[in-house]
Amino acid sequence: MAVRSVLRMGDPQLLERSRAVERFATPELDALIRDMRDTMAALNGAGLAAPQLGVLKRIVIFGVGRNPRYPDAEEVPETVLINPELEPLDAGDVAEDWEGCLSVPGMRGLVPRYRHLRYRGFDERGRPIDRTVSDFHARVVQHEVDHLDGVLYPTRIRDLRNFGFTAELFPDANIAED
Ligand code: NI
């Protein structure tokens, strides 16, 4: 188990474009993904991108299990997604919702995202992934893949009045970071 520290907004590495993974099923890749999983779990995240650990490779992980406190929250399968390609299925269908990020701890912002998305890529063994998803699942993928292009969610907020500290925005909630 290796929980690594997560880079925070302001670190210039978070603004870099990450490079494609060329070799799958290597011990190095497996070790990195293990660290990413351990770190995400320890911080209660919904997703994590390799550049958040200072590794500029096109690797993201995400997953949200059922939580009895939030019976309406959609489940997102535990996924390792490498070299992802995103294809919005209806570029006119955009919705805003609240996001957080382990690199912007303690804050939330209202972010527009495509509601319907096809995404493709590979898992850690190089097996192809091809999914068509909507809403929360689509939002999580867009957020994580943004990290691979050096984009943090605050830069997508349309109106910065909709950006603030989680404890002030949602004083009654107990919200996990992502
Ligand atoms: Ni993030």
Side-chain angles (χ1 to χ4, degrees), residues 2-165:
V3 175
R4 290 167 59 171
S5 61
V6 175
L7 303 185
R8 293 191 300 173
M9 187 168 67
D11 188 307
Q13 287 178 278
L14 291 171
L15 304 177
E16 298 271 321
R17 185 177 159 83
S18 292
R19 295 177 299 275
V21 171
E22 289 171 0
R23 296 179 61 218
F24 294 85
T26 65
E28 295 76 17
L29 184 60
D30 287 343
L32 172 62
I33 289 167
R34 249 192 330 270
D35 287 357
M36 289 174 69
R37 283 203 178 103
D38 291 345
T39 303
M40 182 176 113
L43 298 175
N44 232 348
L48 189 72
Q52 292 180 278
L53 299 186
V55 178
L56 297 180
K57 293 185 177 163
R58 301 187 78 78
I59 305 166
V60 302
I61 65 171
F62 50 85
V64 182
R66 280 241 166 266
N67 185 329
R69 286 181 304 170
Y70 308 109
D72 297 335
E74 292 166 60
E75 210 168 342
V76 178
E78 294 289 337
T79 302
V80 174
L81 181 65
I82 298 175
N83 298 347
E85 308 266 2
L86 305 191
E87 181 190 339
L89 294 179
D90 178 355
D93 196 355
V94 169
E96 291 194 312
D97 208 342
W98 295 94
E99 295 187 13
C101 180
L102 295 174
S103 294
V104 192
M107 303 194 80
R108 286 288 182 280
L110 199 57
V111 181
R113 299 285 186 190
Y114 299 116
R115 285 192 57 219
H116 305 289
L117 186 73
R118 179 180 181 186
Y119 67 89
R120 282 173 280 195
F122 302 90
D123 73 5
E124 67 272 33
R125 309 251 78 84
R127 292 173 296 217
I129 294 170
D130 184 343
R131 290 180 184 153
T132 297
V133 301
S134 295
D135 296 317
F136 181 60
H137 188 156
R139 174 172 298 277
V140 169
V141 175
Q142 288 169 85
H143 175 113
E144 296 311 329
V145 173
D146 261 356
H147 279 295
L148 306 182
D149 296 322
V151 176
L152 298 172
Y153 81 82
T155 66
R156 293 200 181 276
I157 298 170
R158 286 170 168 159
D159 179 344
L160 280 169
R161 288 175 296 185
N162 295 317
F163 183 43
F165 291 95

